[in-house]
Amino acid sequence: MSLNKNKICIYFSLFFSLVAFAQEVETDSTETKQLDEVIVTATRTVRQLSSLPLPAQLVSKKEIKSVNSLRLSDILNEQTGLITVPDFGGGEGIQLQGLDSQYTLVLIDGVPLIGRSAGTLDISRITVGNIKQIEIVKGASSSLYGSEALGGVINIITENPKYGFNGELNSRVGSFNTLDNSFNLGYRKEKFSVSAFVNSFSSDGYDLNENDALNTVEPFKNHTFNTKLTYNFNENTSLFLSGRYYTQNQDYVASEDLKGESDINEWNAHAKLSHTYNEKWSSYFEFYATRYMADEYLNNTDNSRFSESDFNQLLLRPEIRASYKSSEKSDFIGGIGWNHETLKRTDFSTNPEFNSPYAYLQYDTNPTEKLNVILGARFDNHSEYKSQFSPKAALRYKLSNKIAVKGSVGYGFKAPDFRQLYFDFTNSSVGYTVLGYNAVTIAIPQMEANGELANIVVPISEFENELNPENSIGINVGADYRLSSTVKVDLNIFRNNIEDLIDTRVIANKTNGQNVFSYYNVHKVFTQGLEFNVNWKPSNNLKLMGGYQLLFAKDKAAVDAFENGEVYARLTPSSPSFQLKKEDYFGLYNRSRHMANFKIFYTFERWKLDANLRGTYRSKYGLYDTNGNTYLDEYDEFVDGYSTWDIAFNKTLYKNYTLGFGIDNVFGFTDTQNISNISGRIIYGKLNIQI
């Protein structure tokens, strides 16, 4: 499969400034209004998706159930502009508009998940069994959400109970002895509602390479417990409480001689007291606490301990939000809060503690019936890095009943994580050392005094200032076109300019011949391209959806080097070198130029049967520099492009029973060398019982 190459030029500029205080009670992600295609993540207000001036996508509960997905990674991988990328530890992060997973903030019911041990938040640990809808907002969103929202936000909104007693039981069994069971029970009256959700997920893992003694994914089992409670004291005051607990145990195998276990334990607690003062003013107080703990060990064949590591992260966050509706066409939302974060981790020079108060404000107005304008900003004052001011502006103009244009520009940032600041790790077998930026001034003098260093490459004085957050200006320009009541087309052109990218460099040479590495701000990179979505519903029984992304993701320094004729390559190690041209530079690693998806859903009403076929395509991408010039160019080796296709059937029996059957990855695609998160063909059966 091949797709034509295109070039895109994007230019859009805007500037503004605002400062903060205030937000609202009725507009969080736990909102219970039953409106068609309502989204709350983009503006923290209840908005119709069709009226939003920002690029956003919704995944409904109906779609999640019909495709029989198990984990969040399954469903996100089928959305335009998103691709799940495995990390070295086996987890799956989400790449959005060509930006790494560390630049996308992941929320559950409006509050963040933590536990990025190596920068990646493993979204495969999130079950979809109790999800009401998934909201995806693309583009810098730090004006509302602060750090990690440099590239966008994904908010998983869990289900609220219906009136009376109600429940749901799901069980799915499939290839590799994969078993997923979940139970959701809820009760709701006029003033009170409560729900409980339990999920158990286990698998024997799988092995893509039978020539070695290790499995690609080792056997594992995990459990999720989630509960929510709401109580309305009166028409104006309500209380919301929720709790979530996740635990996982997995075999941990590093080689034939080193085996152990990995354990993850995570809990989240969320409380919110809301009050409406009058028609114009409302507010609420929110408190959120979460802890993520990961422990793993490796034993030798004689069962003696070879290594062990611990990761224990805590986040506490109180926040006060308020909203003020100045008129029928305009309103303000805002808030003030404080993040308190700690981490205890093996191979850290200290037990760090972050404190960061923040404030934000957003103004949403419709000066005319056709024009919507949103202006917002946030200020984060951090104890360990420079304070950040994050502005954003967006507008949408309705040209006619069929077409509307929209654009947004925003500043996003990603704070240096604990690892980049405090890591103090020496590989016991190879002998290299990795130091966090703040650990250098203490560790290097100690290593020099111990006679471990041959010479210092980077003076210690360069580490006396602060490591800057990575930051980006994100620009999105697009149009919504409603060809008819059955066809809609969405186009978005984007560019993200990232500066102060945090990378590693050699700062000293050791006497054992190895190096000492640390982190520093250096690179400027950009991602740009277009996204295209088409939805066609020719009848109540048939729906077709398709999406495409064109992406260019490059390092600006590399672009200059190719333009200046400074880069060379060889076809073989012994062949003469030749100069590369500007067009030979492919871009950043692990990015595909083209990605596409296609979905068709059909309902056979007479038989109470629905069926769907979904396909995704990813063009070639490079993982390594294979010709030794430190860049990814057209003469390197690439992972071939591939497509995967899934099919699912669901048959309803006696109204409350549904039998499901499906095949994921119908044609059994695998890549044993490069792709560890595609296991091959998966055949499964599923049972759903409504209570």
Side-chain angles (χ1 to χ4, degrees):
M1 183 180 296
S2 63
L3 296 171
N4 294 329
K5 296 182 178 179
N6 298 286
K7 293 185 178 180
I8 294 183
C9 178
I10 304 173
Y11 180 78
F12 184 69
S13 62
L14 218 60
F15 179 77
F16 72 99
S17 65
L18 288 168
V19 168
F21 181 70
Q23 154 130 330
E24 80 175 63
V25 57
E26 296 179 327
T27 57
D28 197 48
S29 47
T30 53
E31 174 66 51
T32 59
K33 287 186 178 181
Q34 299 299 314
L35 300 174
D36 292 335
E37 292 197 328
V38 164
I39 186 169
V40 298
T41 308
T43 62
R44 283 192 169 177
T45 57
V46 175
R47 290 290 301 266
Q48 293 286 344
L49 179 65
S50 59
S51 70
L52 199 65
L54 303 166
Q57 295 174 233
L58 268 182
V59 184
S60 67
K61 179 179 180 179
K62 182 178 180 180
E63 179 176 340
I64 295 171
K65 292 186 66 175
S66 64
V67 302
N68 297 328
S69 294
L70 292 178
R71 317 305 285 181
L72 182 63
S73 52
D74 300 334
I75 197 73
L76 291 185
N77 206 43
E78 297 181 355
Q79 311 308 312
T80 303
L82 277 67
I83 185 76
T84 55
V85 178
D87 65 9
F88 67 89
E92 290 185 76
I94 192 72
Q95 190 184 101
L96 186 154
Q97 288 188 344
L99 296 174
D100 280 334
S101 61
Q102 60 186 316
Y103 303 122
T104 299
L105 181 64
V106 180
L107 312 171
I108 292 185
D109 288 330
V111 289
L113 291 175
I114 61 173
R116 299 174 182 261
S117 59
T120 297
L121 185 77
D122 182 15
I123 58 174
S124 65
R125 77 185 200 225
I126 303 172
T127 179
V128 300
N130 66 332
I131 292 180
K132 176 183 177 182
Q133 69 181 33
I134 302 169
E135 301 180 353
I136 304 162
V137 180
K138 299 177 180 179
S141 301
S142 292
S143 62
L144 283 176
Y145 295 100
S147 180
E148 297 181 8
L150 183 150
V153 178
I154 297 174
N155 191 9
I156 299 100
I157 299 175
T158 59
E159 188 64 82
N160 292 315
K162 301 174 184 178
Y163 279 97
F165 279 106
N166 49 85
E168 184 178 28
L169 175 67
N170 282 287
S171 182
R172 173 178 148 165
V173 60
S175 304
F176 312 115
N177 198 25
T178 299
L179 180 62
D180 183 89
N181 294 312
S182 64
F183 180 66
N184 203 346
L185 183 65
Y187 174 73
R188 184 176 179 183
K189 291 180 66 176
E190 291 183 1
K191 291 188 175 184
F192 174 77
S193 72
V194 62
S195 63
F197 171 77
V198 180
N199 174 260
S200 175
F201 181 46
S202 63
S203 173
D204 286 348
Y206 56 87
D207 187 14
L208 297 177
N209 187 359
E210 297 181 356
N211 295 324
D212 60 25
L214 306 179
N215 290 326
T216 304
V217 172
E218 299 292 343
F220 66 85
K221 56 182 178 180
N222 61 51
H223 306 278
T224 302
F225 306 91
N226 192 196
T227 184
K228 297 170 67 174
L229 181 149
T230 61
Y231 184 77
N232 299 319
F233 296 96
N234 51 52
E235 293 183 355
N236 298 322
T237 307
S238 64
L239 176 67
F240 167 82
L241 300 172
S242 74
R244 175 178 172 271
Y245 179 72
Y246 171 84
T247 180
Q248 174 172 291
N249 176 266
Q250 184 174 26
D251 293 338
Y252 185 47
V253 181
S255 68
E256 293 185 43
D257 300 324
L258 296 174
K259 299 180 181 180
E261 286 189 6
S262 172
D263 289 291
I264 296 174
N265 291 280
E266 174 193 10
W267 59 260
N268 319 83
H270 185 193
K272 183 177 64 177
L273 181 64
S274 310
H275 184 70
T276 300
Y277 303 97
N278 51 49
E279 293 182 355
K280 292 182 176 292
W281 281 99
S282 60
S283 69
Y284 56 78
F285 170 77
E286 180 180 69
F287 182 80
Y288 176 63
T290 179
R291 184 183 292 276
Y292 177 89
M293 295 173 288
D295 304 310
E296 60 186 38
Y297 68 86
L298 284 172
N299 286 346
N300 296 300
T301 53
D302 62 359
N303 215 33
S304 61
R305 186 61 48 91
F306 174 80
S307 68
E308 57 185 339
S309 63
D310 301 317
F311 185 100
N312 188 336
Q313 184 179 5
L314 173 70
L315 171 66
L316 303 176
R317 192 185 75 181
E319 182 175 299
I320 300 174
R321 311 178 196 177
S323 71
Y324 175 67
K325 191 171 184 63
S326 57
S327 69
E328 289 297 322
K329 297 182 177 180
S330 303
D331 60 62
F332 292 87
I333 64 167
I336 56 175
W338 176 62
N339 287 318
H340 173 74
E341 195 172 1
T342 63
L343 177 63
K344 296 180 180 179
R345 183 177 181 179
T346 306
D347 300 317
F348 264 33
S349 60
T350 185
N351 292 329
E353 178 179 301
F354 285 176
N355 290 286
S356 57
Y358 60 86
Y360 60 87
L361 177 69
Q362 179 179 272
Y363 176 55
D364 189 346
T365 182
N366 293 276
T368 70
E369 291 184 1
K370 295 184 176 182
L371 178 64
N372 175 227
V373 179
I374 296 176
L375 301 174
R378 172 170 165 144
F379 180 76
D380 289 82
N381 181 25
H382 202 278
S383 60
E384 298 298 326
Y385 61 82
K386 290 182 179 179
S387 299
Q388 297 293 302
F389 177 71
S390 308
K392 186 169 187 174
L395 61 86
R396 182 180 188 273
Y397 187 76
K398 189 176 181 181
L399 296 175
S400 67
N401 289 332
K402 290 187 175 181
I403 188 167
V405 293
K406 58 187 179 182
S408 64
V409 58
Y411 174 89
F413 75 96
K414 166 68 171 63
D417 59 33
F418 288 112
R419 172 178 50 93
Q420 293 164 336
L421 293 178
Y422 301 106
F423 210 36
D424 188 351
F425 170 77
T426 297
N427 184 281
S428 58
S429 57
V430 179
Y432 65 85
T433 297
V434 182
L435 298 175
Y437 186 90
N438 290 4
V440 169
T441 55
I442 297 176
I444 288 295
Q446 291 177 346
M447 295 177 70
E448 190 174 26
N450 294 336
E452 299 178 49
L453 301 182
N455 65 291
I456 296 176
V457 178
V458 180
I460 296 179
S461 58
E462 290 197 16
F463 295 88
E464 293 176 354
N465 297 319
E466 296 174 333
L467 186 64
N468 294 326
E470 299 171 286
N471 62 85
S472 171
I473 300 296
I475 301 167
N476 288 268
V477 181
D480 300 329
Y481 183 50
R482 303 298 180 262
L483 184 62
S484 67
S485 59
T486 62
V487 181
K488 65 176 182 177
V489 179
D490 302 318
L491 172 68
N492 183 54
I493 301 173
F494 63 88
R495 180 173 174 111
N496 298 288
N497 292 313
I498 307 172
E499 296 189 1
D500 285 335
L501 192 73
I502 298 175
D503 203 352
T504 57
R505 61 175 169 174
V506 176
I507 65 169
N509 305 125
K510 302 180 71 172
T511 54
N512 64 0
Q514 296 297 321
N515 296 316
V516 180
F517 299 88
S518 189
Y519 300 90
Y520 74 128
N521 298 114
V522 59
H523 285 309
K524 295 182 179 180
V525 304
F526 66 87
T527 70
Q528 67 181 27
L530 66 82
E531 297 167 329
F532 186 75
N533 285 288
V534 179
N535 287 266
W536 180 33
K537 192 174 182 179
S539 70
N540 290 332
N541 295 336
L542 178 62
K543 184 177 183 180
L544 295 94
M545 306 165 65
Y548 167 71
Q549 177 184 267
L550 172 68
L551 173 68
F552 296 88
K554 298 186 176 183
D555 186 320
K556 291 183 178 179
V559 172
D560 293 339
F562 277 82
E563 286 183 342
N564 296 333
E566 301 170 359
V567 185
Y568 295 81
R570 287 186 172 92
L571 295 179
T572 65
S574 59
S575 65
S577 63
F578 56 93
Q579 189 180 72
L580 297 181
K581 302 176 182 178
K582 176 183 177 181
E583 54 268 25
D584 291 326
Y585 177 44
F586 188 83
L588 301 180
Y589 298 106
N590 207 4
R591 270 79 168 178
S592 294
R593 187 67 45 82
H594 309 282
M595 292 197 305
N597 64 79
F598 173 77
K599 308 171 191 176
I600 179 170
F601 297 85
Y602 192 81
T603 301
F604 301 86
E605 291 184 351
R606 181 180 178 182
W607 300 332
K608 295 182 180 180
L609 172 71
D610 65 77
N612 59 79
L613 173 69
R614 295 116 47 217
T616 61
Y617 169 73
R618 183 181 186 185
S619 67
K620 71 173 186 178
Y621 58 96
L623 293 174
Y624 312 102
D625 165 41
T626 56
N627 58 25
N629 62 12
T630 72
Y631 299 102
L632 181 62
D633 59 69
E634 294 291 351
Y635 297 93
D636 282 308
E637 295 179 7
F638 286 81
V639 179
D640 292 334
Y642 64 90
S643 65
T644 61
W645 293 88
D646 305 332
I647 189 169
F649 301 90
N650 293 285
K651 165 70 173 175
T652 301
L653 302 169
Y654 306 109
K655 187 178 179 179
N656 293 331
Y657 299 87
T658 301
L659 294 176
F661 169 79
I663 305 175
D664 291 342
N665 194 2
V666 174
F667 299 106
F669 168 78
T670 59
D671 184 329
T672 60
Q673 299 297 320
N674 303 299
I675 306 174
S676 62
N677 62 331
I678 298 181
S679 60
R681 185 181 296 107
I682 298 175
I683 302 173
Y684 65 85
K686 184 177 180 179
L687 171 66
N688 172 270
I689 302 174
Q690 299 287 332
I691 300 174

